[in-house]
Amino acid sequence: MNHYYVTRGSSVQLPCAYTHTVDSQQYTEVLWSIESADREEQPIIWFTGGRLYSDLYKPMEGRVHFTSADPRNGDASITIKDVRLSDKEMYRCLVKKLPELDKKILDLTVIEAPSQPLCSVDKDSMTLKCSSLQGTPPLHYIWSKTTGNKVLPTQAIVDPTEPPCISTSPSGSVEAIAARWKVWWAPNTVTFTWTVRCPWPTM
């Protein structure tokens, strides 16, 4: 089984290639469906008898279509547009070509892209706090300066708890600090980078 990761609102292609011959092309039927352990199989798009049925599942109506103009030519892949979080499912591609039967199972995970972090400065604790209001967990944050050698000051302390924040000891001060985030999900890396400039309060 193959796993695919896509961000909400984008498009994704679910591949389903198979070997065909001129003789079998006339009798080829392709059915894509959603498989679930807690409900019956749900067909979403079907090509049979030379006819296309693409509105079998109302939540995906108008958003799913075959990538190839003719799925009988060996490419039964589909494209899902404007992917929603509810599209996170197990998909099955079933190709019937007399006398053979091909089947592929694909697992689609939909992730919410993190929003640009919102930042605030707590002058009393000398702390810079930033966090994203949206984003599929787990989100990992990396802090760095955007000037000089990019390395944080030696007196800076990064708090691994949520929300991510950085602080300095009372004995030190930083004129200005900038933060850059790299946010990703495992096992596939999807990186978003922001730069937020925030004047740091002097002592």
Side-chain angles (χ1 to χ4, degrees):
M1 180 171 59
N2 294 321
H3 300 271
Y4 295 86
Y5 296 81
V6 62
T7 54
R8 182 174 67 90
S10 59
S11 297
V12 62
Q13 180 176 315
L14 300 182
C16 184
Y18 63 94
T19 303
H20 81 292
T21 64
V22 176
D23 293 336
S24 67
Q25 186 172 8
Q26 184 178 354
Y27 307 101
T28 298
E29 176 181 344
V30 179
L31 174 65
W32 276 88
S33 59
I34 295 173
E35 289 195 340
S36 176
D38 56 359
R39 71 183 184 201
E40 293 184 359
E41 174 187 330
Q42 173 61 61
I44 58 175
I45 190 169
W46 186 27
F47 185 91
T48 181
R51 299 188 63 179
L52 174 64
Y53 302 88
S54 59
D55 294 329
L56 303 178
Y57 185 43
K58 194 161 185 65
M60 301 184 79
E61 186 175 349
R63 297 192 298 117
V64 58
H65 61 84
F66 283 107
T67 304
S68 172
D70 188 350
R72 296 174 297 183
N73 64 5
D75 183 8
S77 306
I78 60 171
T79 298
I80 303 175
K81 300 185 297 183
D82 188 22
V83 174
R84 302 171 184 174
L85 294 177
S86 58
D87 295 335
K88 179 183 180 298
E89 297 281 4
M90 201 92 70
Y91 293 84
R92 185 184 73 175
C93 173
L94 186 64
V95 179
K96 299 179 182 178
K97 48 188 181 72
L98 297 179
E100 299 175 7
L101 185 69
D102 287 345
K103 181 173 72 172
K104 289 182 174 62
I105 303 295
L106 304 92
D107 181 41
L108 178 64
T109 297
V110 183
I111 56 180
E112 178 79 58
S115 57
Q116 179 167 333
L118 300 177
C119 298
S120 63
V121 174
D122 186 336
K123 294 184 179 180
D124 294 333
S125 62
M126 292 293 290
T127 301
L128 171 63
K129 295 184 177 181
C130 297
S131 62
S132 299
L133 297 180
Q134 295 180 343
T136 300
L139 301 179
H140 301 269
Y141 295 82
I142 296 177
W143 290 82
S144 68
K145 292 178 61 178
T146 56
T147 57
N149 61 5
K150 313 295 184 181
V151 179
L152 293 176
T154 56
Q155 67 268 34
I157 303 172
V158 178
D159 188 348
T161 61
E162 292 290 344
C165 64
I166 185 171
S167 63
T168 61
S169 63
S171 59
S173 63
V174 181
E175 291 295 330
I177 192 168
R180 174 176 288 128
W181 291 264
K182 289 186 179 179
V183 186
W184 70 92
W185 297 268
N188 284 22
T189 299
V190 183
T191 303
F192 298 83
T193 302
W194 299 276
T195 299
V196 179
R197 297 187 180 278
C198 189
W200 196 264
T202 57
M203 296 296 292

